[in-house]
Structures are given as C-alpha cells and as structure tokens.
Amino acid sequence: GFQCSKAGRMLVRQGELIKRCRRADKPFYYVLFNDVLIYGSPARGQSGGSRYVHHREIPLSSSKVIAVENEENAFQIFSENKAFVVIAANGDMEAWYNDMEKTIAQAKIDAGVKDEKEFAAVWTPDHAEKNCLKCNRAFTLMYRRHHCRACGMLCCDPCTKNRKILFHIDPKKPLRVCDDCFKNDKLGDGEEEDDEEPEATPTGANTAWWGVSDGRKT
C-alpha cells in the first residue's frame, strides 16, 4: 500500500475535487505532496469522516496539468497510465492548479527529469457522444461504447477490435485501440481492460486506507 511517511515528503494541499469519470462525475479526496498526488473515497461509514480508501497515486515527476478550455473550474491531470479531468469548487481551481503546476515542476527538477513523458489520454465521457467517432454509427444498449486506450475517443466495438501494447500504460498487456491508433503497429493478443475506476472496498485487512486530521495526513 501507499506509505504515508517518507523522508523529505511534505504536504502541499488537500481537499475534495470532483473527478470526471466515464459515466458520472464522482467526488474524491485528494492529497498533494511535494512528490506524489494521491486520491481516495470515503471509507464505509465515513461519508463525512476522515478515513479514505486509497484509489491511486500519481508520481509528480511523470505528470502534468493543463487547464480545460471554456471551463474555469476544471483542469486535466495527466500521468503515464492515467489521465482525467477534475472540477474544483468555486475559488479553489486556481489555487489547486497553481500548486500542482509548481509542485510538478519542482518534482521533475528534484528527480532529474528533463524529457517529456508519454501520457495517457483523457477519456471522452460516455454521455458526450451518441455516435461512434470513427464510423458515426449510433450507440445502443446492444451496440456499446468503447474507449481507445491510446487517444481516449469513444468508438464502437468494430472500430476498436485491435489491441496493442502501450508501454507507458502497461508494458505487458495489449490494450484496446481504435483503427487509427493501431495503424503501423503490430497486433497483440490480450483481454479487454476494465473501463471503470475501481470502486471503494470496505476497510479491512486487505484494504489500503489513510486518514486526514487537523490538516495533516496520517
């Protein structure tokens, strides 16, 4: 699990942000350190409490943030294997964005990172498109939506039949890609990746969790 205490690790900012997921926006609690960003959801029975089930950690030395055009309270967070949009409460977006940008820049200097990494793509939300962005066929209950793991576009199954290795996301597992992203690449065998963000699980012996109290992470 995630180790909270680490030599040189310092808390920069923490608070709730709304994560734009493929089916619906979901609130998560984010904690920004000088070397990593983590986020989690309230542990069972802690909807308004201070314990959170750990979902993901994002090393800052291999990440970046970009503001979302025409959405003053939203920005994108990119890492090598995950990218998504977060929405901040009124007045918080600028503070979050500036802290993220400055902390990422310093983390890259500290880690000696000079070259830009290859990042995962932000997925188009399911509700944003009614038709496949490749063949324009309408989506239905039987003709389902799928995301290209390389570009994040919403496509139908026939337009995303191919699989390939995306080394920055998973160096071993071939992932679903659209026809355009597959061109000039070798086909690999593999099962379909789960589209969903992992759901919070009850706190227990095999569940990683962390808590916040008095402005400090524990």
Side-chain angles (χ1 to χ4, degrees):
F2 180 79
Q3 297 297 318
C4 303
S5 299
K6 181 180 177 180
R9 176 167 287 162
M10 296 181 292
L11 176 66
V12 178
R13 173 173 290 275
Q14 62 181 328
E16 185 176 273
L17 296 170
I18 305 299
K19 181 175 179 290
R20 184 166 292 163
C21 301
R22 65 167 298 189
R23 291 194 174 93
D25 295 347
K26 298 178 183 178
F28 287 92
Y29 198 86
Y30 290 76
V31 183
L32 174 64
F33 293 99
N34 60 321
D35 63 331
V36 67
L37 173 72
I38 65 172
Y39 64 89
S41 56
R44 180 171 294 182
Q46 295 285 322
S47 59
S50 57
R51 281 191 174 185
Y52 297 87
V53 176
H54 181 68
H55 275 253
R56 189 177 294 270
E57 58 193 83
I58 298 175
L60 299 185
S61 60
S62 56
S63 64
K64 69 176 180 179
V65 291
I66 298 178
V68 177
E69 293 185 6
N70 302 320
E71 289 192 60
E72 61 181 21
N73 292 320
F75 62 95
Q76 298 170 313
I77 299 174
F78 292 87
S79 70
E80 292 180 291
N81 53 24
K82 189 73 175 178
F84 51 91
V85 173
V86 292
I87 304 167
N90 290 335
D92 289 343
M93 187 278 185
E94 185 174 358
W96 265 105
Y97 184 85
N98 288 340
D99 280 346
M100 286 282 296
E101 192 173 46
K102 293 177 182 177
T103 309
I104 288 172
Q106 186 60 52
K108 289 182 177 180
I109 292 174
D110 294 342
V113 175
K114 297 180 180 180
D115 297 329
E116 186 77 344
K117 299 285 187 178
E118 188 171 6
F119 298 107
V122 174
W123 286 11
T124 303
D126 282 6
H127 60 79
E129 301 293 340
K130 295 182 179 180
N131 298 70
C132 173
L133 293 172
K134 297 299 179 181
C135 69
N136 203 39
R137 181 172 175 177
F139 294 123
T140 66
L141 290 176
M142 300 300 294
Y143 203 73
R144 297 177 54 205
R145 294 167 170 82
H146 295 276
H147 285 88
C148 171
R149 282 15 179 213
C151 68
M153 295 180 69
L154 268 175
C155 306
C156 64
D157 183 64
C159 289
T160 55
K161 282 291 188 183
N162 293 314
R163 304 290 190 272
K164 75 172 182 180
I165 294 289
L166 301 174
F167 289 97
H168 59 291
I169 297 178
D170 193 323
K172 297 181 180 179
K173 181 180 179 181
L175 303 177
R176 179 185 291 268
V177 293
C178 67
D179 292 343
D180 288 343
C181 290
F182 179 74
K183 287 178 180 178
N184 299 322
D185 287 311
K186 294 182 178 180
L187 178 63
D189 296 325
E191 297 179 357
E192 180 181 352
E193 181 188 27
D194 184 8
D195 287 351
E196 284 295 301
E197 180 74 23
E199 292 295 331
T201 53
T203 300
N206 296 320
T207 301
W209 59 270
W210 36 264
V212 291
S213 177
D214 298 325
R216 294 181 181 273
K217 184 171 174 298
T218 59

